[in-house]
Amino acid sequence: MVGSIDHFIAGKIVKGRSGRQGDVFNPATGEVSAQVALASKAEVEEAIQAAQDALPGWAATPPLTRARVMFRYKQLLEQHVDELAEMLVNEHGKVLDDARGEVQRGLEVVEFACGIPHLLKGEFTESVGTNIDSYSMRQPVGVCVGITPFNFPAMVPLWMFPMAIACGNTFILKPSEKDPSAPLRLAELFMEAGGPKGVLNVVNGDKEAVDTLLTDPRVGAVSFVGSTAIGEYIYSTAAAHGKRVQALCGAKNHMVVMPDANIEKASDALMGAGYGAAGERCMAISVAVAVGDAGDRLIDALEPKVRALKVGPGMDPDSQMGPLVTKQHLEKVSGYVDLGVEEGAKLVVDGRNLHLQGYENGHFMGGTLFDQVTPDMRIYREEIFGPVLSVVRAPDFKSALKLVNDHEYGNGTSIYTQDGDAARAFASNCNIGMVGVNIPIPVPMAFHSFGGWKRSAFGDHGMYGMDAVRFYTKLKTITSRWLTGMTGGAEFAFPVMR
Ligand code: NAD
């Protein structure tokens, strides 16, 4: 009998009552490992009420006290890295080292949140007018919501709730129903760290749960990370219901390889960025733009490396790439490989139909490499989200930059070159949110902010860093004077400071 994964509301695990459940798989074996409860509207409303009830007390808790909870949470997360990482391997499929890295990158946001007393300091101006002072403060938005994707079940929730909570908000997390164990454990550990009940709640569910969160008047802000189609829906629906929204979405990240690049290093970078986590990263490189004569050399360097990629279960220390998250996703990704062949791209390495002894039902696929991909092809235009790397040839820097800028997505990009002028021109002129120079996956650190451009993000704030402080707080500015500053009589003209 498989176990059940339920909700975490008002400080405790709450059994699902909707009668609806979803299967959670171990992607390496293809077996159902658990059943996750899918919350009804009433169950989600219970979580919203718990967050609403906890709000006044938590918002009034001094930032220093909130920071101390975060310090204890950071310690607990450090002690539980391996436990969390194993949960990620067993439900997402990524390899153990990569899973540890995911937890670490999430933990760094908690470290940043420990500095919240400093981050929340407002501004003060003495004498904006005669005997009049002005100061600003940042106050919590209220009940905040996070809706997160399957590909980073620990890191993306940690991008959101530590900063929201440190800012004095309460939070409801609706994780992906594909790998819900780690997010639930994150909530239990937060309670253990001293988080009051109701401050962090987790509801598992699907559209019914999400729609309840997007429309309930008690919710003040919604953070979303996931695909563009759903993100656009989240953004417009939540905004239409008066909430502030940030929705970070899909991607098709290009790496430009200039003719002067070190091809050995560039191809190594493409291996990690294209095939790490089986390409299931929003910052994965899925397109290599080979400029001038870099093309043939790049393919020659890549082909043997892709063939040598060690694909296997995530808990095997020899595996470099694990399985895809579900059978359905595996079919979608290999369907894109069929499509690429139909569209006329040159299939250099074919990862379809990979069978691993002992793991016949696992969702495995080998690394796939296409050459001669062109911008009109669907395999170029659409996000595949699997271990499929497309090489596009461009005659010069200008046409490579144009490709990057013309694509509808604008999450991340990178350039490999030894020419400082080319790198500088690329960083200045690309229409993309996060840029790497000889760095394949330029994910900003926790004290910067993460966010894409174009159809990779809706809303005007990134995740974590100072953008999170701005997103999760409302700015209030006070202009104040005392009796000594008051002059007689009513004033009917618009006030001008003197
Ligand atoms: P998804 O859009 O299918 O799901 C994301 C969340 O939305 C999940 O919690 C899911 O339950 C919910 N959801 C799904 N369908 C819904 C519907 N019809 N109505 C309401 N809610 C719904 O995304 P995914 O497949 O879990 O994740 C992969 C996607 O996330 C990729 O497109 C990837 O690029 C993107 N992603 C983006 C970033 C970023 O920072 N830009 C980071 C990670 C992942």
Side-chain angles (χ1 to χ4, degrees):
M1 193 178 131
V2 298
S4 70
I5 299 169
D6 293 282
H7 315 298
F8 190 85
I9 300 173
K12 57 180 193 303
I13 296 285
V14 174
K15 213 123 192 75
R17 301 187 306 268
S18 71
R20 291 197 308 125
Q21 290 178 317
D23 288 337
V24 178
F25 293 91
N26 180 332
T29 61
E31 282 162 11
V32 174
S33 59
Q35 296 230 290
V36 60
L38 302 174
S40 64
K41 186 169 193 286
E43 290 170 295
V44 176
E45 283 172 345
E46 202 178 297
I48 298 173
Q49 194 54 48
Q52 174 87 337
D53 292 345
L55 184 63
W58 185 244
T61 300
L64 189 61
T65 309
R66 291 187 224 136
R68 287 184 178 140
V69 174
M70 287 299 160
F71 273 109
R72 285 194 292 275
Y73 191 42
K74 165 187 147 58
Q75 261 182 334
L76 275 176
L77 288 177
E78 281 164 350
Q79 287 162 13
H80 289 266
V81 169
D82 285 343
E83 177 196 344
L84 288 161
E86 279 192 33
M87 286 176 169
L88 303 181
V89 175
N90 291 334
E91 292 182 0
H92 175 281
K94 60 182 69 181
V95 300
L96 189 59
D97 265 2
D98 190 35
R100 285 200 189 101
E102 162 173 357
V103 179
Q104 174 60 29
R105 290 305 292 264
L107 212 157
E108 286 164 9
V109 179
V110 180
E111 287 174 347
F112 184 68
C114 289
I116 203 68
H118 178 73
L119 302 174
L120 284 179
K121 282 193 303 192
E123 295 171 324
F124 180 87
T125 304
E126 184 185 20
S127 299
V128 286
T130 306
N131 290 324
I132 297 179
D133 305 324
S134 192
Y135 58 98
S136 64
M137 54 177 78
R138 292 204 159 266
Q139 295 188 324
V141 176
V143 174
C144 298
V145 160
I147 300 159
T148 53
F150 81 82
N151 68 319
F152 283 110
M155 183 182 76
V156 170
L158 286 167
W159 281 0
M160 299 173 179
F161 73 75
M163 287 303 292
I165 289 174
C167 287
N169 301 284
T170 56
F171 203 89
I172 301 162
L173 175 65
K174 203 305 284 172
S176 170
E177 61 276 38
K178 295 192 177 102
D179 39 22
S181 288
L184 210 58
R185 189 73 186 116
L186 289 176
E188 287 177 339
L189 291 172
F190 181 72
M191 280 294 291
E192 232 177 274
K197 66 177 188 178
V199 169
L200 174 60
N201 308 276
V202 180
V203 284
N204 283 304
D206 53 10
K207 186 168 166 55
E208 181 172 344
V210 171
D211 285 348
T212 307
L213 294 167
L214 298 182
T215 52
D216 193 290
R218 290 167 292 182
V219 171
V222 175
S223 300
F224 169 86
V225 174
S227 61
T228 294
I230 307 299
E232 209 164 14
Y233 167 75
I234 301 275
Y235 186 72
S236 55
T237 309
H241 286 83
K243 305 174 195 330
R244 53 173 73 180
V245 201
Q246 52 177 184
L248 272 60
C249 299
K252 193 82 179 176
N253 306 312
H254 293 46
M255 182 166 126
V256 172
V257 182
M258 294 296 287
D260 69 342
N262 179 321
I263 295 292
E264 196 46 36
K265 289 203 161 53
S267 57
D268 279 344
L270 281 169
M271 289 303 299
Y275 302 105
E280 293 170 326
R281 290 179 181 146
C282 68
M283 287 294 274
I285 296 287
S286 48
V287 177
V289 183
V291 177
D293 68 4
D296 290 346
R297 289 185 286 131
L298 189 63
I299 291 288
D300 288 347
L302 278 173
E303 182 178 347
K305 290 180 186 174
V306 180
R307 289 194 191 284
L309 199 59
K310 291 197 186 100
V311 182
M315 291 308 289
D316 180 341
D318 289 335
S319 300
Q320 294 170 319
M321 186 174 103
L324 289 160
V325 67
T326 56
K327 185 156 184 281
Q328 195 188 15
H329 191 54
L330 169 66
E331 283 162 4
K332 180 179 156 191
V333 174
S334 61
Y336 268 110
V337 182
D338 301 343
L339 177 68
V341 173
E342 275 167 41
E343 288 180 311
K346 184 176 169 197
L347 186 57
V348 180
V349 184
D350 184 358
R352 290 171 295 183
N353 306 316
L354 180 83
H355 297 289
L356 292 184
Q357 212 179 356
Y359 296 93
E360 284 77 8
N361 295 320
H363 315 144
F364 290 98
M365 176 171 172
T368 297
L369 179 64
F370 275 116
D371 190 11
Q372 310 290 356
V373 174
T374 54
D376 54 308
M377 294 179 183
R378 273 182 57 205
I379 59 159
Y380 173 77
R381 296 199 312 271
E382 296 172 15
E383 182 182 43
I384 298 174
F385 221 56
V388 180
L389 178 65
S390 294
V391 176
V392 181
R393 310 285 186 122
D396 49 31
F397 172 79
K398 202 169 148 212
S399 42
L401 180 63
K402 185 168 177 344
L403 278 171
V404 170
N405 285 347
D406 286 353
H407 204 283
E408 68 168 319
Y409 292 121
N411 212 39
T413 190
S414 157
I415 185 167
Y416 267 66
T417 182
Q418 302 190 47
D419 177 346
D421 279 330
R424 188 169 187 279
F426 185 75
S428 295
N429 297 312
C430 68
N431 198 4
I432 304 285
M434 292 168 282
V435 185
V437 174
N438 298 317
I439 301 277
I441 305 188
V443 174
M445 295 296 286
F447 34 92
H448 288 260
S449 297
F450 181 110
W453 288 12
K454 299 190 276 187
R455 288 177 61 73
S456 289
F458 303 99
D460 48 8
H461 287 98
M463 298 276 162
Y464 60 79
M466 284 312 290
D467 259 19
V469 175
R470 293 180 199 108
F471 183 76
Y472 290 123
T473 58
K474 292 182 289 192
L475 177 69
K476 184 180 279 180
T477 306
I478 294 102
T479 307
S480 128
R481 75 181 160 194
W482 297 89
L483 277 179
T484 47
M486 292 195 185
T487 49
E491 289 174 18
F492 295 99
F494 195 69
V496 176
M497 295 295 184
R498 293 195 175 84

